[in-house]
Amino acid sequence: MTTSTLSASSEVVSEKLNFKKILPIFVIVLIDLLGLTVIIPLMPLYATAFGASPLLIGVLGAAYPVMQFIGAPFLGRLSDRFGRKPVLMVSQLGTFIGFLILGFANSLWMLFLARILDGISGANISTAQAAISDSTTEKTRTQGLGLIGAAFGIGFILGPIIAFLSLAASGNNYHVPAFVAAAFSLISIFLTWFWFEETLPKELRHSSTQKPPFTLQAMLEAVRHPAVGFLLVLIFAQQIAFGGFEQLLALFTLNRLGLNASGNSIIFVFVGLIVVAVQGGLIGRWSRKYGERRLILAGLATLAIGLSLTAFTPRQPMPSYSKAALQAELQGSGTFRTHENPTTQNLAIEIPDDSQKGWFGLAWLLMAMIPAAVGGGILQPSINSLITQKARKDEVGGLLGISAAFLSGANAIAPLIGGMIFQSWGSTAPFLAFGLIMAILLGLAFFKVR
């Protein structure tokens, strides 16, 4: 075999993702996320059981991303210095303890303690992203990082189902789903200990030992980084739009279509399935064919279109809709199930009347969800992949940690910004505003992303 043949053969291999090497990371992240998504439907009800007001429930919801905003970049830097595996273990241990505290909680402050502890140690995802970056080439990195998004999609589909089953089996005992989540977290710890192999060689760790611990100054310096600064701004802004879309969608469909929590769960499963399809398979082929720059531009364009179409969803409930039944359910006198999100019953949201029923409103919304979900599914892994390509090897963990911190910060403020716009100017306004932001970013990215 000639040298040129060997070179061509190795190039073909490098263009294919090594699933055997990536599989442990994917499984660990998925099981970690199952623990998280089992808890998500429970938290508002759990807090309500301890007498929390809607404001306190909102603060509780923001506690995790705010603390992750602080903790993830610091742990990301530590993973550059000490390796991925020990930092992943510490992060998972914090999550496990947090879930145990939730399970044993007998007061509201214990819920806050659990979410704060889980958030401050929440470098699971950024460390897994760094491990994938270590284990992939530039040509396969987007597909590898896309599997993290696919794990999110699968987790957000299966997690609420597991929560519902555990509540049903326990007679709606709120402590049981927390212990189920702790069990998933414990499994992920064992998998990391016995299955996961360190991906960052020792000889590549020393170069980051001179870096100071993470500070806000480090974040500002990262934004000024000539190669990746705009990409960090981009990932923050797109998550405000897509995160706000996710946070406000239930209120929007309540206002436009009269959908309750059960109806909204169908919408979220639909979105989750699209994201899984994009990030679990399509994005790899698209990345190799078009490259990260074109993917980012396409993601911004489709998300802008999806958000704008969503804003103009016709106000038309389905034929089976009953305003009186929905009002009774929201006021707590109807058939309100424990696994549904109860926060909407405390909000002064106008709901449709019983006239002009039909299927067009739902059909329009589902059509709008397709470009919105495709755009949201493309952007995060594509931007992070480009960050890893532009950064030096010893910077990858820290920059992905900072990227995760920007995502957490966006997740914390998106519902506050979107809710204020929703309350002041109506349900159409936040989706139009988010769509406009994406359109502006598209124009900027066309000139700045290379």
Side-chain angles (χ1 to χ4, degrees), residues 146-182:
L147 289 175
I148 298 290
F152 267 95
I154 294 170
F156 275 89
I157 291 170
L158 295 181
I161 296 174
I162 295 171
F164 171 70
L165 293 175
S166 62
L167 285 167
S170 63
N172 293 330
N173 185 329
Y174 295 169
H175 300 271
V176 172
F179 288 125
V180 171

Short mmCIF file of all heavy atoms in Angstrom, two decimals, residues 146-182:
data_model
loop_
_atom_site.label_atom_id
_atom_site.label_comp_id
_atom_site.label_asym_id
_atom_site.label_seq_id
_atom_site.Cartn_x
_atom_site.Cartn_y
_atom_site.Cartn_z
N GLY A 146 -23.03 17.62 18.94
CA GLY A 146 -24.46 17.50 18.70
C GLY A 146 -25.09 16.37 19.48
O GLY A 146 -26.29 16.44 19.83
N LEU A 147 -24.32 15.34 19.81
CA LEU A 147 -24.85 14.23 20.61
C LEU A 147 -25.22 14.68 22.02
O LEU A 147 -26.11 14.11 22.65
CB LEU A 147 -23.84 13.08 20.66
CG LEU A 147 -23.64 12.32 19.35
CD1 LEU A 147 -22.54 11.29 19.49
CD2 LEU A 147 -24.94 11.64 18.91
N ILE A 148 -24.51 15.71 22.53
CA ILE A 148 -24.89 16.27 23.83
C ILE A 148 -26.30 16.85 23.74
O ILE A 148 -27.14 16.65 24.62
CB ILE A 148 -23.90 17.36 24.26
CG1 ILE A 148 -22.49 16.78 24.43
CG2 ILE A 148 -24.36 18.03 25.55
CD1 ILE A 148 -22.31 15.88 25.60
N GLY A 149 -26.57 17.57 22.65
CA GLY A 149 -27.90 18.12 22.44
C GLY A 149 -28.94 17.03 22.28
O GLY A 149 -30.07 17.15 22.75
N ALA A 150 -28.56 15.93 21.60
CA ALA A 150 -29.48 14.81 21.45
C ALA A 150 -29.80 14.19 22.81
O ALA A 150 -30.95 13.80 23.07
CB ALA A 150 -28.88 13.76 20.52
N ALA A 151 -28.79 14.11 23.69
CA ALA A 151 -29.03 13.60 25.04
C ALA A 151 -30.01 14.50 25.78
O ALA A 151 -30.89 14.01 26.52
CB ALA A 151 -27.70 13.51 25.80
N PHE A 152 -29.88 15.81 25.57
CA PHE A 152 -30.84 16.74 26.16
C PHE A 152 -32.25 16.45 25.65
O PHE A 152 -33.21 16.40 26.42
CB PHE A 152 -30.46 18.19 25.82
CG PHE A 152 -29.62 18.87 26.85
CD1 PHE A 152 -28.24 18.88 26.73
CD2 PHE A 152 -30.19 19.48 27.94
CE1 PHE A 152 -27.45 19.51 27.68
CE2 PHE A 152 -29.42 20.12 28.89
CZ PHE A 152 -28.04 20.13 28.76
N GLY A 153 -32.37 16.28 24.33
CA GLY A 153 -33.69 16.03 23.74
C GLY A 153 -34.31 14.76 24.28
O GLY A 153 -35.49 14.74 24.67
N ILE A 154 -33.53 13.67 24.31
CA ILE A 154 -34.04 12.40 24.83
C ILE A 154 -34.40 12.53 26.30
O ILE A 154 -35.45 12.05 26.76
CB ILE A 154 -32.99 11.29 24.62
CG1 ILE A 154 -32.77 11.03 23.13
CG2 ILE A 154 -33.44 9.99 25.31
CD1 ILE A 154 -31.61 10.13 22.83
N GLY A 155 -33.52 13.21 27.07
CA GLY A 155 -33.79 13.39 28.49
C GLY A 155 -35.06 14.16 28.77
O GLY A 155 -35.85 13.80 29.64
N PHE A 156 -35.28 15.23 27.98
CA PHE A 156 -36.47 16.05 28.21
C PHE A 156 -37.75 15.39 27.70
O PHE A 156 -38.84 15.86 28.00
CB PHE A 156 -36.28 17.44 27.57
CG PHE A 156 -35.56 18.40 28.46
CD1 PHE A 156 -34.18 18.48 28.43
CD2 PHE A 156 -36.24 19.19 29.35
CE1 PHE A 156 -33.49 19.35 29.25
CE2 PHE A 156 -35.58 20.07 30.18
CZ PHE A 156 -34.19 20.16 30.14
N ILE A 157 -37.61 14.31 26.95
CA ILE A 157 -38.78 13.52 26.56
C ILE A 157 -39.06 12.45 27.61
O ILE A 157 -40.19 12.27 28.07
CB ILE A 157 -38.56 12.88 25.18
CG1 ILE A 157 -38.55 13.96 24.09
CG2 ILE A 157 -39.67 11.87 24.88
CD1 ILE A 157 -38.11 13.45 22.74
N LEU A 158 -38.00 11.73 28.04
CA LEU A 158 -38.18 10.60 28.95
C LEU A 158 -38.32 11.04 30.41
O LEU A 158 -39.03 10.40 31.18
CB LEU A 158 -37.00 9.64 28.82
CG LEU A 158 -36.83 8.92 27.48
CD1 LEU A 158 -35.63 7.98 27.54
CD2 LEU A 158 -38.10 8.14 27.12
N GLY A 159 -37.61 12.12 30.80
CA GLY A 159 -37.60 12.53 32.20
C GLY A 159 -38.98 12.79 32.78
O GLY A 159 -39.33 12.23 33.84
N PRO A 160 -39.80 13.65 32.15
CA PRO A 160 -41.14 13.89 32.69
C PRO A 160 -42.01 12.63 32.75
O PRO A 160 -42.85 12.50 33.63
CB PRO A 160 -41.72 14.92 31.72
CG PRO A 160 -40.53 15.61 31.15
CD PRO A 160 -39.47 14.56 31.04
N ILE A 161 -41.79 11.70 31.79
CA ILE A 161 -42.55 10.44 31.84
C ILE A 161 -42.16 9.65 33.08
O ILE A 161 -43.02 9.10 33.78
CB ILE A 161 -42.29 9.62 30.56
CG1 ILE A 161 -42.81 10.37 29.34
CG2 ILE A 161 -42.93 8.24 30.65
CD1 ILE A 161 -42.47 9.71 28.01
N ILE A 162 -40.85 9.59 33.37
CA ILE A 162 -40.37 8.87 34.56
C ILE A 162 -40.90 9.54 35.82
O ILE A 162 -41.30 8.87 36.79
CB ILE A 162 -38.84 8.82 34.56
CG1 ILE A 162 -38.34 7.99 33.37
CG2 ILE A 162 -38.31 8.24 35.87
CD1 ILE A 162 -36.84 8.06 33.16
N ALA A 163 -40.92 10.88 35.85
CA ALA A 163 -41.46 11.60 37.01
C ALA A 163 -42.93 11.24 37.23
O ALA A 163 -43.35 10.99 38.37
CB ALA A 163 -41.30 13.10 36.80
N PHE A 164 -43.70 11.23 36.15
CA PHE A 164 -45.12 10.89 36.26
C PHE A 164 -45.31 9.48 36.80
O PHE A 164 -46.13 9.24 37.69
CB PHE A 164 -45.79 11.03 34.90
CG PHE A 164 -47.19 10.50 34.85
CD1 PHE A 164 -48.21 11.15 35.52
CD2 PHE A 164 -47.49 9.33 34.16
CE1 PHE A 164 -49.51 10.66 35.49
CE2 PHE A 164 -48.78 8.83 34.13
CZ PHE A 164 -49.79 9.50 34.79
N LEU A 165 -44.53 8.52 36.28
CA LEU A 165 -44.66 7.13 36.73
C LEU A 165 -44.28 6.98 38.19
O LEU A 165 -44.94 6.25 38.94
CB LEU A 165 -43.80 6.22 35.85
CG LEU A 165 -44.23 6.08 34.39
CD1 LEU A 165 -43.22 5.25 33.61
CD2 LEU A 165 -45.62 5.45 34.30
N SER A 166 -43.21 7.68 38.62
CA SER A 166 -42.78 7.56 40.01
C SER A 166 -43.79 8.20 40.96
O SER A 166 -44.04 7.69 42.06
CB SER A 166 -41.40 8.19 40.21
OG SER A 166 -41.42 9.56 39.90
N LEU A 167 -44.42 9.30 40.54
CA LEU A 167 -45.46 9.92 41.35
C LEU A 167 -46.70 9.03 41.42
O LEU A 167 -47.30 8.86 42.49
CB LEU A 167 -45.84 11.29 40.77
CG LEU A 167 -44.84 12.42 41.01
CD1 LEU A 167 -45.16 13.62 40.12
CD2 LEU A 167 -44.82 12.83 42.47
N ALA A 168 -47.06 8.44 40.28
CA ALA A 168 -48.23 7.56 40.26
C ALA A 168 -48.02 6.34 41.14
O ALA A 168 -48.92 5.91 41.87
CB ALA A 168 -48.53 7.14 38.82
N ALA A 169 -46.81 5.78 41.09
CA ALA A 169 -46.52 4.57 41.87
C ALA A 169 -46.45 4.85 43.36
O ALA A 169 -46.68 3.95 44.19
CB ALA A 169 -45.21 3.96 41.40
N SER A 170 -46.13 6.11 43.72
CA SER A 170 -45.95 6.45 45.14
C SER A 170 -47.13 7.21 45.73
O SER A 170 -47.04 7.71 46.85
CB SER A 170 -44.68 7.30 45.30
OG SER A 170 -44.82 8.53 44.61
N GLY A 171 -48.23 7.31 45.00
CA GLY A 171 -49.37 8.07 45.50
C GLY A 171 -49.08 9.55 45.58
O GLY A 171 -49.48 10.23 46.53
N ASN A 172 -48.37 10.07 44.59
CA ASN A 172 -48.01 11.50 44.51
C ASN A 172 -47.15 11.96 45.68
O ASN A 172 -47.31 13.07 46.19
CB ASN A 172 -49.27 12.37 44.41
CG ASN A 172 -50.02 12.15 43.11
OD1 ASN A 172 -49.42 11.84 42.09
ND2 ASN A 172 -51.34 12.31 43.14
N ASN A 173 -46.23 11.10 46.11
CA ASN A 173 -45.25 11.48 47.12
C ASN A 173 -44.12 12.24 46.44
O ASN A 173 -43.36 11.67 45.65
CB ASN A 173 -44.71 10.22 47.81
CG ASN A 173 -43.78 10.54 48.96
OD1 ASN A 173 -43.08 11.54 48.96
ND2 ASN A 173 -43.76 9.67 49.96
N TYR A 174 -43.96 13.53 46.73
CA TYR A 174 -42.99 14.37 46.03
C TYR A 174 -41.55 13.94 46.29
O TYR A 174 -40.65 14.27 45.51
CB TYR A 174 -43.15 15.83 46.45
CG TYR A 174 -44.45 16.48 46.06
CD1 TYR A 174 -44.81 17.72 46.58
CD2 TYR A 174 -45.32 15.87 45.17
CE1 TYR A 174 -46.00 18.34 46.23
CE2 TYR A 174 -46.51 16.47 44.81
CZ TYR A 174 -46.84 17.70 45.34
OH TYR A 174 -48.02 18.30 44.99
N HIS A 175 -41.31 13.25 47.41
CA HIS A 175 -39.94 12.85 47.73
C HIS A 175 -39.43 11.76 46.79
O HIS A 175 -38.23 11.70 46.51
CB HIS A 175 -39.86 12.35 49.18
CG HIS A 175 -40.26 13.38 50.18
ND1 HIS A 175 -39.37 14.27 50.74
CD2 HIS A 175 -41.46 13.67 50.75
CE1 HIS A 175 -40.00 15.06 51.59
NE2 HIS A 175 -41.27 14.71 51.62
N VAL A 176 -40.31 10.92 46.29
CA VAL A 176 -39.89 9.74 45.51
C VAL A 176 -39.19 10.13 44.21
O VAL A 176 -38.12 9.58 43.90
CB VAL A 176 -41.09 8.80 45.26
CG1 VAL A 176 -40.72 7.69 44.29
CG2 VAL A 176 -41.57 8.21 46.58
N PRO A 177 -39.72 11.05 43.38
CA PRO A 177 -38.98 11.41 42.16
C PRO A 177 -37.58 11.96 42.45
O PRO A 177 -36.67 11.75 41.65
CB PRO A 177 -39.87 12.49 41.52
CG PRO A 177 -41.23 12.21 42.04
CD PRO A 177 -41.03 11.74 43.43
N ALA A 178 -37.41 12.64 43.59
CA ALA A 178 -36.08 13.14 43.94
C ALA A 178 -35.12 11.98 44.18
O ALA A 178 -33.95 12.02 43.77
CB ALA A 178 -36.16 14.04 45.17
N PHE A 179 -35.60 10.94 44.84
CA PHE A 179 -34.75 9.77 45.07
C PHE A 179 -34.51 9.01 43.77
O PHE A 179 -33.43 8.43 43.58
CB PHE A 179 -35.39 8.85 46.11
CG PHE A 179 -35.34 9.41 47.52
CD1 PHE A 179 -36.50 9.55 48.26
CD2 PHE A 179 -34.14 9.80 48.08
CE1 PHE A 179 -36.46 10.07 49.54
CE2 PHE A 179 -34.09 10.33 49.37
CZ PHE A 179 -35.25 10.46 50.11
N VAL A 180 -35.49 9.00 42.87
CA VAL A 180 -35.28 8.39 41.55
C VAL A 180 -34.19 9.15 40.80
O VAL A 180 -33.29 8.55 40.18
CB VAL A 180 -36.59 8.38 40.74
CG1 VAL A 180 -36.34 7.95 39.30
CG2 VAL A 180 -37.61 7.45 41.40
N ALA A 181 -34.25 10.48 40.86
CA ALA A 181 -33.22 11.29 40.23
C ALA A 181 -31.85 11.02 40.85
O ALA A 181 -30.83 10.94 40.14
CB ALA A 181 -33.56 12.78 40.35
N ALA A 182 -31.81 10.86 42.18
CA ALA A 182 -30.55 10.54 42.86
C ALA A 182 -30.01 9.20 42.39
O ALA A 182 -28.79 9.02 42.25
CB ALA A 182 -30.75 10.55 44.37
#
